[in-house]
Amino acid sequence: MSKDYYNILGVAKGASEDDIKKAFRRLAHEHHPDKGGDAQKFKDVNEAYQVLGDKQKRATYDQFGSAAFEQGGAGGPGGFGDFGGFNFNQGFQGQDFGDLGDILGEMFGFGGASKAKTARGKDIEVDVELTLKEAAFGVERSIRLFKHSTCSRCHGEGAESGTKIINCATCNGQGQVRQAQRSMFGTIQTVVACPTCHGRGKKAEKECALCRGLGVERREETLNVPIPAGIDDGESIRITGGGEGAAYGGKSGDLFVRVHVKQDARFERDGNDVRSDQLVPFSILVLGGSVNVETLDGSVALDIPEGTAAETVFTLRGRGIPFMRSKGRGNHLVRVVPDIPRKLSREQKKILEELRREGL
């Protein structure tokens, strides 16, 4: 009976290779027997992917249908029953069947095409607190960490000084060994890191007395971390290799420094702009004049034209926060607020009374 492989995978006939692979991943997860799925549907999904995931087989299927892959059909010796070396009844038989093995290996931890992976140390996250000015112009912070670092005695080699590093006898210097694993499909060949040399292919003739061959030791370490100008609250800096060291020559993890910027009583950050209020005497608002405004760069003179209304916002260009990923700076926006005195002298009151009578 003819099978509709496109329908089994739930994709259109013109689906791309990526769409077919994504559909297979999803359905294989859903129907895998080890996850409580339907074994027959899982078998059908694999059968469909073996054909549609191969350009040549897919072209044959599009022309002749599934009959081309059945016993004695155009699919070659054994037809679809052996999938060119893969048989559901006989298992994998130690065969490496490429892309399907990679996908199943990613999802379920096995597959003939898998490769041993190098160990990697854990990432570390720390928090630092900055003032607005430090965040604006950048600063360097010393961070103390107690973590696994390269062994100070053997410098990561794992061997005692003066002793040799020799080829691993278990893997013959390859760093990998093959293991047989039984599954519902039969015996699966997997490639794993050598348990003796931990994937390095070499081992110490005599292990380091301090780290016992691991190549790392746990100790306190101080890192000087440069905080770039313009960084904002909640942003993180990534220090590659600044995290936990990995044993047996593996790659160190990364250090992530999360920044927290304290509120400033004088300034408010608005993206790369800075906002502030400036008290201005009533006489200057009316007659015009100059006032000193505090900025991130210090005190700056601001000219106030005569007849300036309260709440007017003036722009001090280039006095804001530097752009972190490009040149230049934001602006400083100054809102003028009338400085109304609570107490007046008799003479001041007299002058204001006269102004009021004149309608000012």
Side-chain angles (χ1 to χ4, degrees), residues 5 73 101 149 154 160-162 219 233-234 290 330 353:
Y5 293 145
S149 300
C154 68
E160 272 294 298
S161 177
R219 67 170 184 265
D233 182 67
S290 178
E353 286 291 345

Side-chain angles (χ1 to χ4, degrees), residues 191-257:
V191 178
V192 298
C194 175
T196 303
C197 66
H198 305 279
R200 291 187 294 179
K202 300 180 181 295
K203 63 186 296 292
E205 188 176 48
K206 183 179 180 181
E207 292 183 346
C208 171
L210 178 59
C211 68
R212 302 194 178 193
L214 294 175
V216 293
E217 62 170 314
R218 193 163 178 80
R219 67 170 184 265
E220 187 177 76
E221 191 171 304
T222 300
L223 296 178
N224 293 321
V225 178
I227 309 294
I231 196 165
D232 205 351
D233 182 67
E235 291 187 315
S236 294
I237 303 163
R238 179 177 182 173
I239 310 298
T240 303
E244 291 277 2
Y248 307 113
K251 185 179 180 180
S252 296
D254 298 331
L255 172 65
F256 292 88
V257 181

Side-chain angles (χ1 to χ4, degrees), residues 62-310:
D62 288 341
Q63 186 174 2
F64 300 105
S66 63
F69 301 94
E70 294 169 1
Q71 186 70 28
F80 189 80
D82 61 11
F83 292 86
F86 170 64
N87 187 292
F88 277 104
N89 295 320
Q90 297 177 9
F92 289 95
Q93 303 300 328
Q95 298 293 323
D96 177 354
F97 59 105
D99 193 45
L100 180 59
D102 289 334
I103 293 173
L104 292 176
E106 290 174 12
M107 294 191 296
F108 308 115
F110 61 83
S114 62
K115 297 180 181 179
K117 295 182 179 180
T118 304
R120 184 181 184 277
K122 293 182 179 179
D123 294 333
I124 298 175
E125 293 186 10
V126 297
D127 296 279
V128 297
E129 191 173 61
L130 307 179
T131 65
L132 179 60
K133 193 168 184 176
E134 288 173 333
F137 298 119
V139 69
E140 186 173 88
R141 277 283 192 269
S142 293
I143 299 175
R144 296 173 63 185
L145 301 170
F146 192 69
K147 66 185 185 76
H148 285 102
S149 300
T150 301
C151 177
S152 57
R153 183 181 178 94
C154 68
H155 307 291
E157 292 293 331
E160 272 294 298
S161 177
T163 63
K164 296 180 180 179
I165 303 293
I166 59 176
N167 276 345
C168 175
T170 303
C171 64
N172 294 320
Q174 298 300 309
Q176 301 176 346
V177 294
R178 285 187 173 272
Q179 292 182 345
Q181 181 180 348
R182 294 188 61 82
S183 76
M184 62 176 288
F185 302 118
T187 302
I188 303 170
Q189 293 286 340
T190 59
V191 178
V192 298
C194 175
T196 303
C197 66
H198 305 279
R200 291 187 294 179
K202 300 180 181 295
K203 63 186 296 292
E205 188 176 48
K206 183 179 180 181
E207 292 183 346
C208 171
L210 178 59
C211 68
R212 302 194 178 193
L214 294 175
V216 293
E217 62 170 314
R218 193 163 178 80
R219 67 170 184 265
E220 187 177 76
E221 191 171 304
T222 300
L223 296 178
N224 293 321
V225 178
I227 309 294
I231 196 165
D232 205 351
D233 182 67
E235 291 187 315
S236 294
I237 303 163
R238 179 177 182 173
I239 310 298
T240 303
E244 291 277 2
Y248 307 113
K251 185 179 180 180
S252 296
D254 298 331
L255 172 65
F256 292 88
V257 181
R258 184 177 294 277
V259 169
H260 301 278
V261 182
K262 294 186 290 187
Q263 289 188 341
D264 193 290
R266 300 167 300 167
F267 309 122
E268 178 186 351
R269 181 169 181 170
D270 182 8
N272 285 87
D273 292 335
V274 172
R275 295 179 178 274
S276 68
D277 289 342
Q278 178 66 42
L279 290 173
V280 179
F282 177 74
S283 59
I284 292 180
L285 290 176
V286 175
L287 302 175
S290 178
V291 295
N292 290 325
V293 175
E294 282 298 316
T295 71
L296 293 173
D297 300 297
S299 183
V300 174
L302 173 65
D303 292 329
I304 307 293
E306 65 178 44
T308 296

